Amino acid sequence: MVSLSKRTALCRWFQAGLTVLVCLCTTGCWDSLEIEQRAMVLGLSVDIAQVPSDDSHFATERNTGNASESPRPLQVQGRPESEAATARATAKETARMPIRLTAQIPIPGRIPLGPGESGGGGANNPSQSVWVVHSTGETVTEALQCLQQQVADPLFFGHLRVIVVSREFAQKRGLSDLMDYLRRNPQVRRTLWILVSEHEAAKLLATAPPLKRVPTLYLISTMDQAIRLGKFPTEFLGVAESKVVMKGRDMVLPYVDVQHGETMLLQGMAFFRDYRLAGVVTGIPGVYTYMELCGIRQGGIVDRAQLPGGSWVVLQSYRRRRSIRLQMVQDQPVFDVYVHIDFHIHQTSGDPLNLSNPATLRLIERRESEKIISAQKDLIRRTQQAGSDIVGFGEFVRAYRPGWWDAHIQTKDRWREVYKTLPVHLHVKSRVRVYGMRAR
Amino acid sequence: MIHKTVYRHITVMEAVAIFIGSSFGIGILALPRMAVEAADTGAPLLTLCGLCLTLFGALLITLLARRFPNDTVVRAGERVIGKWPARLMGVCLAVFFILLTALGAREFTTVVAVAVLPRTPVEATTLVMLLLAASSVRNNFTSFAYIQLFYQPFLFIPSVLIPTLALKNAIFTNLLPLWGNGEGHWWAGMASVAALLQGGFVLGFLVPAMIEPRRMPQVLLWGGIFIGSVYLLFVIASLAVFGSMEIRNLMWPTLEMAKITMLPGEVLERLDAAFLAIWVTAAFAGLYTTYFIASLVIKDVLRFEDHAFLSWALLPFIFMAAMLPPNVVQVYRAMEWLGRIGLVLTIGYPLILLAVAWMRGVREERGLPEQADSTL
Amino acid sequence: MTLWSRWMKPKSGPRKQPLPPDKVLQEYKSQKFDGHVKKALRLIEEMLGENDDLVIRDFRVCQTHDAAAAYFANIVNRDTSNENIFRPLMDMKPSAARARLRGRALREVIVKEALHHEEVYLRTDMIEVIEDIMHGHTAVFVEGCDKVIVVDARMVPHRTPEQPYTEQVIRGARDGFVEQLSTNITLLRYRLQTPNFRIKMMKIGRLSRTKVAVCYVEGLVRPALVQEVLDRLKMIHVDGVLDAGTLEQFIEDNHWSPFPQVQNSERPDKCVASLLEGRIVILTDGTPFSLIVPAVFVQFYQTMDDYSERWLMASLVRLVRLVALIFSLVFPSIYVSIIAFNPELIPTNFAVAVAGGRAGVPFPAVVEVLVMEISMEVLREATLRLPQQVGGALSIVGVLIVGQSAVAAGFASPITVVIIALTTIGSFATPAYNAAIALRILRFVLTILAGFFGLYGVVVGLILISNHMLSLRSFGVPYLSPVVPMNMQGLKDALMRAPLWWMWRRPQQLDPIDSRRLAPGAARKLLSQNSNTLDPVKPRRLR
């Protein structure tokens, strides 16, 4: 019995050994690549190259805060209709618009390990801890290949957190091929942010406030904090990818700009029609209105309500609820959007105002509601003109009236036509909850 | 050689574990896409229907087992439809499960190659996977049950964790309408979903080794609940997160879902590679089952005493079959066809056996012997 | 040299070739003591005469009967032999009746009336007598007596039971086994005073003739298991058994597994606890280590402290130990696969910093980790062998200096040093040395696999290991047994340590005959009884 069990045990070990041996012999460390041998691309910027003819134009520079002045970017200030018109650019046009990529790669030795200040030199200046490389190419892949030729280590996109796209690029060329590349590449994360920059994207990527060790991480923390403070909805790449292919919805992306040459300003959002930028909403109320209509619970934006008699109140929303009612009137969808917002009052214009009076509070609430409704109307009108259903009314129709949808709509283009004249009735109810430590 | 007799020893819990382990495979990675392609937002409903189809197949096996509590499916077939027809069917089953093992391994290594090990040849990873399965297939049924039971937590924890964490980004309207927009091809979709669950055929070999074969319906119930809830959870979560249109764009939606989930506290920023690594256990459990079934079927057909040496004997064939499809498209097409054929075998065959047995009135003599005549 | 000299040396007559040791006794198998002292002594001379420490002391019993005592000089306690053997025998009152005594009658008079030493054996076979002399007993031959009287007056140097080094406890008994089997049995009997406590003795080793005691509690353990243990022990035909570890390697189930399938312990309280659970304890003469069979994996991270501390603390500590165990197994391999294969998993800040830390290191992570691991093992082995006074200093200094200078020299990144340190500390937290060593070896395998395949390789390796553990059996008990196959009663003492009143059954994987630990209803009574005598709320007269 012992001999038998011994034999089988020997067999088993022989097999285990064989397994390991085969592993070792048939394989090498094909995919092993040390972390410091990867050129970790933390941020990318995509512009339309100004000098398309010069294909072999490599520009490598150490970014030292006062980056070399690039040609002045195009200022595109058009009405949404014309923007939509330019969006219908042909493939031929695309070919004439080469891409200019800028990559931000951290320099390993420059970024200290651990919380202390003891590290390599340049730890105090975040802009010196990264290496900025430029390249151009007809497509993203070609541009990246061109980039790879300048960087010895293989580029690694596992930690790619931000792609800044210039408004010009998003408008003229569209994000279709860029997003296709991002979908295909297994290294790219879906929590990546695509930011649309008003001016040159490369410049935005180089903004380096001394708050973080790596400039890109500053951009990321800007976005993360914006979400936490209720300044912006969660619209990272994965969300945008889902929305852009939905039949009854379009994507929005954050719209940013450089301010004073060194900080990033989150100034609004860009809305898209398919993969092309269809317009931008700037200013706090625009984003705020979008978040209301989408029913994002987290509030946080401060707003000032003007009261009759010259006094005013500063309100901060902290919670919202939204419900949407869809009715079919004469076989056409009609929407009622009910938004309920809770406010804190942060500041008033001063003494004559008595908040402990319920009538005053009601007045404030009514004023604020009116203001919000007008902002919402404005947003819906603009998106209707652009044919970009960012709130996703179409999704509601598809979800709750599938019979009608299947009979009349079916495609995104047809929904877009319907959306342009879609009646949306807005109902806003504001509620002031508390007004701070002051009793009146 | 001494004729081995082994006591009945598989408990109900182990049987449930075997059933679950057989059904958790690599198919789950593509499941949401398959379901959405067939039924749009009706994917959860379709998955439920597919599960019902599978459970129906399992029920047939259970009924057969109730009639022949001491025989495996193959041996019961010999008693019902005669020796040679049953052997022929046995050969078909064996070939089917060999191919299923091969394609399962290939599918998994394709995922691995695309997602984490792009430069490692598929041959190497496939061979490692098959060697792992083959070295385990040598074990007897008890160890098979133990191994399946042991890996349950590693299947369930990520299957619950990842969809739940991903639900943070869910949009409710993505799930509506429940039956999907437009015309779906529901029957084909159901077949595809049910085809993922064909490892459940192992129940047909389980019965002679179970302590209480009468409690087989319980196994079916619990197994169905667990498998169904996890399958539905994956489909619902990925549908709610991505929407039906985006899922069509994603090769392996479940893996993408792991990509957007972040462990609380940001210990790991994305879970896809970790999920895939843990999912090796699921792939192993699935492969192990189909490989095991293939060797058991051959053992029964050829009346071998022991199936151990078959594990190495089958390995070259399985490896070659796994290497046949040239690209990922062909892998999935082959899976689809094989799955359809497999349904005919794994559901149709027990159905025919039951019908014939009922008409001819063949049934096992009552009472269970303490020892089962089997080397399981 | 021997070969050369043998060849060169001319054959000088028919020199008798010395027989191999175990053949010698065979030659004298048929020899019996027949009452002739001279003849017996000649035999003894012939066999043991070459030993210079053999003493043959002639004397006379009752002044009439010639007698002789044969023993080895140093192993016999002089006081005992003087006082208890020679004095009573020589002092026997001579009388006519006694002078006529022969055979059985003579023996009875000597043993029952004169010799007042308690441990006396009677032998007829000369082989047995010789074995007894070898064992350290004194053989007394009396002319005309029908049997040889063997008196146990052995004295072997021994130490007193003290706290075992390998299994220290915070709270619990401070005594440990010693080398003498008799002392060890004493320690067990002292703790377990049931009449069902059984000890089966046997001698193993053709030359060493080591005493082995198989201890169990009848009525708890299955007789088949006892028989199996005895059978396996009987199958050992080896020249010498010097330690319990030798025995362990002969009776374990799978000789090729890295995992120990027999538990060893120096603690009598642990042995008694195992006996009470329905296990079998094997004690070996000459070693303080006892063997406990059957053993399952969970035993290797349980300690006696777990049971003496309160259950919640004990469970937490056990959980910590389990985490340390898993850490020590997988930490380096996961580190390697994250660094070299999937750096996208860790947070970006950290990834950038890690890349900075590794920037100057010339080796791939897997080589770096392996080199550091090996040097750590060397350090550990070195401190183990060093004299204690030096060892402590060396270990601390060694770790500090090696780690610091490795980083300073650009030989390893600081994070690697941290990982290795955590791993090593983790492996020390495993109470059983032999289980820790198994995991330490497997850690290397996993690290190499990680170097080839990344996380995929690690998981494949872990699956291989767990499949092996799942197919492993110790005396038929599945190795991972309270967990798989699942057993709720066993699980109460596997990952956690349930309250003692809740663990009312013995571990079911051992299939004990009497499975109740706690008397029926005892737990309920325990929980309901709560009289609160000194409760201040109670009226004083009721207190």
Side-chain angles (χ1 to χ4, degrees):
Chain A
M1 178 230 119
V2 165
S3 70
L4 186 75
S5 75
K6 249 182 196 169
R7 196 174 53 78
T8 52
L10 178 62
C11 264
R12 203 161 294 156
W13 270 96
F14 175 69
Q15 283 156 18
L18 191 75
T19 315
V20 173
L21 201 72
V22 168
C23 293
L24 300 192
C25 295
T26 54
T27 73
C29 312
W30 290 292
D31 282 295
S32 168
L33 188 61
E34 304 303 317
I35 190 167
E36 78 278 5
Q37 285 166 4
R38 300 175 189 233
M40 270 192 276
V41 180
L42 294 184
L44 271 180
S45 72
V46 186
D47 287 291
I48 285 179
Q50 301 301 312
V51 275
S53 57
D54 189 6
D55 239 357
S56 58
H57 169 74
F58 300 140
T60 315
E61 67 201 68
R62 175 66 43 85
N63 193 335
T64 50
N66 52 348
S68 60
E69 272 311 310
S70 41
R72 190 173 157 65
L74 270 174
Q75 294 275 354
V76 184
Q77 303 283 355
R79 291 204 317 281
E81 298 97 304
S82 67
E83 283 167 6
T86 51
R88 303 220 182 277
T90 58
K92 216 172 158 190
E93 274 178 291
T94 313
R96 275 192 276 109
M97 284 188 284
I99 293 172
R100 181 162 177 275
L101 272 188
T102 309
Q104 208 174 52
I105 300 166
I107 305 163
R110 289 287 171 82
I111 296 152
L113 188 64
E117 279 299 312
S118 62
N124 294 326
N125 189 353
S127 61
Q128 285 188 0
S129 60
V130 290
W131 184 29
V132 178
V133 195
H134 304 288
S135 76
T136 51
E138 291 291 322
T139 63
V140 177
T141 319
E142 284 166 60
L144 284 174
Q145 191 185 337
C146 184
L147 201 67
Q148 183 69 76
Q149 278 173 300
Q150 300 167 58
V151 181
D153 293 334
L155 296 173
F156 175 63
F157 301 101
H159 279 289
L160 180 57
R161 305 291 300 268
V162 170
I163 296 181
V164 186
V165 176
S166 71
R167 179 174 175 165
E168 188 192 3
F169 180 87
Q171 212 158 33
K172 288 191 177 162
R173 198 179 147 120
L175 301 182
S176 176
D177 59 337
L178 177 68
M179 280 169 82
D180 177 79
Y181 176 81
L182 298 178
R183 266 208 192 99
R184 256 175 235 288
N185 190 335
Q187 292 175 348
V188 170
R189 42 181 74 197
R190 285 182 80 89
T191 48
L192 164 87
W193 280 95
I194 296 188
L195 310 177
V196 180
S197 156
E198 187 171 354
H199 300 115
E200 195 197 356
K203 210 166 158 187
L204 189 111
L205 196 66
T207 55
L211 275 177
K212 288 270 173 181
R213 283 172 182 167
V214 185
T216 321
L217 296 183
Y218 176 73
L219 300 188
I220 287 304
S221 65
T222 308
M223 295 315 298
D224 288 345
Q225 294 302 331
I227 290 171
R228 189 169 301 164
L229 296 176
K231 289 195 290 185
F232 205 80
T234 316
E235 300 282 348
F236 51 73
L237 176 69
V239 176
E241 272 176 349
S242 293
K243 282 183 181 171
V244 78
V245 291
M246 278 180 193
K247 282 176 180 165
R249 197 160 192 182
D250 276 301
M251 64 175 175
V252 296
L253 290 175
Y255 187 61
V256 295
D257 195 17
V258 189
Q259 209 177 27
H260 312 310
E262 60 174 1
T263 52
M264 182 184 88
L265 174 70
L266 177 60
Q267 60 172 352
M269 62 181 191
F271 51 89
F272 283 70
R273 186 180 157 128
D274 285 335
Y275 290 97
R276 268 172 210 278
L277 187 128
V280 294
V281 178
T282 51
I284 290 167
V287 182
Y288 183 53
T289 313
Y290 170 72
M291 287 169 78
E292 283 159 6
L293 290 173
C294 287
I296 291 160
R297 275 181 70 84
Q298 172 75 38
I301 295 171
V302 175
D303 192 29
R304 184 161 58 90
Q306 201 72 41
L307 297 181
S311 52
W312 43 262
V313 179
V314 177
L315 302 142
Q316 184 177 27
S317 68
Y318 70 97
R319 195 168 63 189
R320 316 188 181 92
R321 257 195 311 280
R322 175 209 64 170
S323 63
I324 282 189
R325 207 169 64 167
L326 166 60
Q327 285 173 303
M328 300 304 287
V329 177
Q330 295 165 347
D331 209 26
Q332 288 295 315
V334 175
F335 278 93
D336 286 275
V337 183
Y338 300 87
V339 179
H340 180 106
I341 309 172
D342 289 336
F343 287 100
H344 294 305
I345 290 181
H346 271 209
Q347 191 192 355
T348 64
S349 54
D351 252 338
L353 215 58
N354 184 2
L355 293 181
S356 58
N357 182 1
T360 318
L361 284 185
R362 263 202 303 280
L363 181 70
I364 295 169
E365 284 164 2
R366 205 172 58 240
R367 277 303 163 103
E368 184 61 20
S369 298
E370 281 162 8
K371 196 176 168 193
I372 290 170
I373 286 177
S374 75
Q376 287 177 349
K377 270 194 180 135
D378 186 50
L379 180 75
I380 289 173
R381 185 182 49 77
R382 287 194 59 191
T383 56
Q384 279 181 337
Q385 281 168 350
S388 162
D389 182 3
I390 55 174
V391 179
F393 291 110
E395 280 297 296
F396 276 92
V397 177
R398 188 189 58 71
Y400 292 102
R401 295 286 184 274
W404 187 81
W405 175 276
D406 289 346
H408 297 93
I409 307 290
Q410 287 180 345
T411 64
K412 196 167 187 172
D413 278 337
R414 239 175 279 162
W415 169 250
R416 213 163 260 154
E417 293 311 309
V418 175
Y419 177 66
K420 282 184 175 166
T421 56
L422 182 77
V424 180
H425 305 298
L426 301 162
H427 314 268
V428 174
K429 189 180 252 179
S430 315
R431 183 79 70 220
V432 173
R433 291 283 172 188
V434 288
Y435 41 87
M437 302 287 275
R438 190 172 175 183
R440 52 198 299 275
Chain B
M1 193 176 166
I2 317 149
H3 188 73
K4 286 193 210 161
T5 51
V6 172
Y7 295 96
R8 294 176 170 273
H9 44 72
I10 304 284
T11 60
V12 172
M13 186 195 273
E14 284 160 4
V16 173
I18 289 174
F19 190 29
I20 295 172
S22 71
S23 316
F24 269 50
I26 206 59
I28 286 185
L29 294 185
L31 168 73
R33 178 170 52 85
M34 281 161 47
V36 161
E37 275 170 359
D40 200 62
T41 52
L45 205 62
L46 180 98
T47 312
L48 204 62
C49 294
L51 282 165
C52 289
L53 189 62
T54 309
L55 284 182
F56 172 68
L59 188 71
L60 289 178
I61 291 172
T62 313
L63 290 176
L64 199 66
R66 181 157 278 193
R67 233 179 155 86
F68 302 98
N70 292 333
D71 282 326
T72 62
V73 174
V74 178
R75 292 196 183 179
E78 287 185 16
R79 302 175 62 143
V80 174
I81 59 170
K83 204 169 184 182
W84 289 106
R87 288 193 172 184
L88 184 70
M89 286 306 286
V91 171
C92 290
L93 279 173
V95 170
F96 165 67
F97 278 108
I98 286 174
L99 290 178
L100 197 63
T101 313
L103 283 179
R106 176 63 190 272
E107 191 190 358
F108 179 63
T109 48
T110 307
V111 181
V112 169
V114 172
V116 285
L117 300 175
R119 272 173 294 179
T120 309
V122 178
E123 287 83 358
T125 38
T126 311
L127 195 60
V128 169
M129 208 63 207
L130 287 177
L131 278 174
L132 190 64
S135 68
S136 312
V137 166
R138 295 190 76 262
N139 290 324
N140 54 18
F141 218 116
T142 324
S143 294
F144 174 66
Y146 289 172
I147 288 173
Q148 296 282 16
L149 183 62
F150 184 74
Y151 290 132
Q152 293 303 305
F154 302 101
L155 306 186
F156 271 100
I157 291 171
S159 320
V160 173
L161 199 69
I162 286 182
T164 322
L165 287 176
L167 278 179
K168 200 172 70 178
N169 299 312
I171 301 173
F172 181 66
T173 47
N174 283 342
L175 293 173
L176 293 172
L178 286 178
W179 50 90
N181 291 104
E183 293 286 307
H185 18 272
W186 282 68
W187 288 109
M190 263 169 70
S192 308
V193 174
L196 296 181
L197 294 157
Q198 280 172 350
F201 196 66
V202 74
L203 293 180
F205 295 85
L206 195 64
V207 179
M210 270 183 74
I211 298 173
E212 298 158 287
R214 292 191 168 279
R215 291 175 69 189
M216 201 62 182
Q218 228 167 320
V219 174
L220 223 60
L221 181 71
W222 284 113
I225 288 174
F226 281 121
I227 297 167
S229 48
V230 167
Y231 267 52
L232 276 178
L233 192 60
F234 269 120
V235 173
I236 291 174
S238 47
L239 189 62
V241 171
F242 297 122
S244 65
M245 295 306 289
E246 174 69 359
I247 285 184
R248 284 167 219 251
N249 268 330
L250 303 172
M251 201 72 194
W252 297 289
T254 312
L255 198 60
E256 292 285 335
M257 200 156 64
K259 230 180 196 177
I260 61 168
T261 43
M262 197 185 284
L263 272 190
E266 304 194 1
V267 186
L268 294 179
E269 279 205 334
R270 51 196 273 190
L271 294 176
D272 52 342
F275 171 68
L276 203 56
I278 295 177
W279 215 243
V280 174
T281 40
F284 166 74
L287 283 185
Y288 185 15
T289 313
T290 50
Y291 205 148
F292 203 64
I293 297 173
S295 59
L296 287 185
V297 169
I298 294 177
K299 189 202 80 176
D300 269 359
V301 168
L302 300 180
R303 295 274 174 196
F304 284 149
E305 290 292 337
D306 198 17
H307 68 273
F309 83 97
L310 280 171
S311 72
W312 294 123
L314 292 181
L315 186 62
F317 300 105
I318 295 179
F319 181 66
M320 280 193 290
M323 287 301 113
L324 278 180
N327 57 30
V328 62
V329 180
Q330 293 301 328
V331 170
Y332 276 102
R333 281 191 56 164
M335 283 296 271
E336 205 178 330
W337 279 107
L338 193 71
R340 304 252 165 91
I341 296 166
L343 282 183
V344 175
L345 280 173
T346 53
I347 297 180
Y349 184 48
L351 190 65
I352 292 168
L353 283 188
L354 262 182
V356 174
W358 180 68
M359 281 189 294
R360 286 181 52 195
V362 187
R363 88 175 24 251
E364 186 102 345
E365 47 284 353
R366 286 276 168 193
L368 299 175
E370 172 78 349
Q371 293 176 339
D373 172 30
S374 146
T375 55
L376 300 176
Chain C
M1 165 247 165
T2 48
L3 199 70
W4 180 250
S5 57
R6 197 175 293 169
W7 188 48
M8 288 304 287
K9 209 190 274 177
K11 279 186 181 172
S12 56
R15 189 165 167 272
K16 202 180 170 192
Q17 189 77 21
L19 279 170
D22 47 327
K23 291 275 164 58
V24 176
L25 289 175
Q26 300 297 322
E27 239 181 41
Y28 300 91
K29 205 163 191 178
S30 55
Q31 300 284 350
K32 300 247 191 285
F33 180 67
D34 52 2
H36 299 292
V37 175
K38 285 268 157 47
K39 193 177 153 198
L41 286 181
R42 209 179 309 127
L43 199 74
I44 302 277
E45 272 299 333
E46 203 173 298
M47 282 197 67
L48 305 175
E50 300 250 335
N51 294 310
D52 294 338
D53 58 343
L54 180 75
V55 178
I56 293 179
R57 167 79 157 81
D58 293 322
F59 60 99
R60 205 163 275 159
V61 179
C62 295
Q63 299 173 355
T64 48
H65 299 275
D66 277 335
Y71 57 90
F72 281 109
N74 300 314
I75 200 167
V76 166
N77 188 344
R78 262 195 197 149
D79 296 342
T80 318
S81 62
N82 288 348
E83 288 297 315
N84 292 357
I85 303 173
F86 295 116
R87 185 192 287 271
L89 290 180
M90 290 173 178
D91 279 2
M92 269 173 85
K93 293 279 174 335
S95 68
R98 281 189 172 172
R100 277 198 308 277
L101 284 176
R102 283 290 177 275
R104 188 192 157 104
L106 173 63
R107 189 234 311 165
E108 292 210 332
V109 167
I110 292 173
V111 174
K112 292 189 176 169
E113 294 176 18
L115 209 57
H116 50 256
H117 192 79
E118 35 102 23
E119 212 168 349
V120 169
Y121 314 101
L122 299 170
R123 305 277 192 226
T124 319
D125 284 341
M126 283 308 285
I127 292 185
E128 283 179 358
V129 173
I130 286 166
E131 273 188 2
D132 285 340
I133 294 173
M134 293 312 301
H135 194 72
H137 298 330
T138 307
V140 178
F141 304 90
V142 182
E143 188 73 30
C145 189
D146 64 339
K147 288 191 174 171
V148 183
I149 301 160
V150 177
V151 183
D152 180 2
R154 185 163 85 136
M155 188 186 66
V156 186
H158 62 271
R159 58 188 178 95
T160 49
E162 56 192 25
Q163 167 117 337
Y165 284 116
T166 54
E167 291 163 275
Q168 309 247 359
V169 292
I170 310 265
R171 182 172 165 183
R174 298 273 179 226
D175 57 349
F177 284 136
V178 294
E179 280 71 15
Q180 268 71 47
L181 183 63
S182 50
T183 317
N184 296 347
I185 291 177
T186 313
L187 290 173
L188 286 187
R189 281 234 179 258
Y190 155 65
R191 284 193 164 77
L192 189 62
Q193 294 165 2
T194 166
N196 273 20
F197 182 34
R198 299 274 181 271
I199 294 180
K200 295 258 182 275
M201 301 287 276
M202 52 168 52
K203 282 189 177 176
I204 296 175
R206 289 196 311 271
L207 304 191
S208 70
R209 308 301 292 157
T210 312
K211 273 197 209 164
V212 171
V214 177
C215 317
Y216 60 97
V217 179
E218 195 166 294
L220 286 187
V221 59
R222 292 269 163 201
L225 180 61
V226 179
Q227 198 51 49
E228 168 86 27
V229 170
L230 292 175
D231 286 347
R232 286 195 193 183
L233 285 173
K234 272 177 198 152
M235 271 195 285
I236 302 171
H237 285 290
V238 72
D239 54 351
V241 174
L242 296 181
D243 189 80
T246 325
L247 280 187
E248 174 185 344
Q249 292 168 54
F250 279 107
I251 62 171
E252 66 189 359
D253 288 63
N254 187 341
H255 303 272
W256 306 90
S257 171
F259 292 99
Q261 299 137 57
V262 174
Q263 197 186 10
N264 60 50
S265 175
E266 274 191 89
R267 302 189 61 86
D269 49 350
K270 195 167 190 171
C271 286
V272 171
S274 301
L275 287 170
L276 286 176
E277 282 183 336
R279 292 179 216 274
I280 295 176
V281 171
I282 302 169
L283 295 174
T284 315
D285 203 4
T287 171
F289 284 95
S290 63
L291 301 179
I292 302 171
V293 293
V296 292
F297 185 70
V298 292
Q299 274 171 270
F300 294 106
Y301 60 84
Q302 297 170 339
T303 63
M304 281 313 288
D305 269 332
D306 291 355
Y307 301 92
S308 44
E309 280 302 329
R310 296 174 52 252
W311 75 272
L312 195 61
M313 306 305 128
S315 298
L316 288 176
V317 171
R318 186 177 283 184
L319 213 61
V320 166
R321 229 176 280 142
L322 194 66
V323 167
L325 195 95
I326 293 168
F327 263 27
S328 73
L329 182 64
V330 298
F331 227 55
S333 50
I334 286 184
Y335 171 69
V336 166
S337 42
I338 283 185
I339 292 299
F341 286 84
N342 297 102
E344 73 269 18
L345 289 179
I346 48 177
T348 307
N349 292 346
F350 190 53
V352 170
V354 170
R358 273 194 54 83
V361 181
F363 312 112
V366 57
V367 174
E368 187 192 350
V369 165
L370 282 178
V371 167
M372 288 302 287
E373 287 271 4
I374 290 169
S375 48
M376 212 64 185
E377 293 293 315
V378 169
L379 204 67
R380 170 162 39 198
E381 193 62 22
T383 44
L384 199 69
R385 305 281 165 231
L386 270 174
Q388 255 182 358
Q389 292 81 353
V390 193
L394 184 102
S395 63
I396 295 166
V397 172
V399 169
L400 277 181
I401 289 183
V402 169
Q404 188 65 43
S405 49
V407 174
F411 193 66
S413 75
I415 297 173
T416 310
V417 175
V418 173
I419 296 285
I420 301 297
L422 281 180
T423 312
T424 314
I425 293 166
S427 75
F428 281 133
T430 312
Y433 179 72
N434 46 2
I437 223 167
L439 295 177
R440 244 153 67 195
I441 292 165
L442 291 172
R443 185 173 78 207
F444 281 96
V445 177
L446 282 184
T447 311
I448 291 169
L449 272 175
F452 281 106
F453 286 111
L455 284 174
Y456 175 71
V458 176
V459 175
V460 166
L462 285 175
I463 290 179
L464 266 180
I465 292 170
S466 41
N467 282 359
H468 168 70
M469 286 172 85
L470 286 162
S471 54
L472 205 60
R473 307 277 188 275
S474 170
F475 287 82
V477 179
Y479 196 54
L480 291 180
S481 75
V483 183
V484 174
M486 206 192 270
N487 174 323
M488 285 319 285
Q489 290 299 323
L491 274 181
K492 289 176 189 170
D493 197 15
L495 302 180
M496 61 182 292
R497 205 277 285 161
L500 292 175
W501 49 264
W502 197 34
M503 295 196 293
W504 55 276
R505 298 182 80 170
R506 301 205 159 83
Q508 289 302 291
Q509 66 265 22
L510 301 172
D511 192 22
I513 295 173
D514 175 24
S515 69
R516 287 196 81 96
R517 240 197 282 242
L518 225 62
R524 209 176 326 120
K525 209 172 154 190
L526 186 82
L527 294 177
S528 61
Q529 180 208 39
N530 198 358
S531 61
N532 282 342
T533 316
L534 290 184
D535 191 346
V537 182
K538 260 188 182 178
R540 190 159 289 271
R541 60 194 156 76
L542 280 181
R543 282 188 194 166

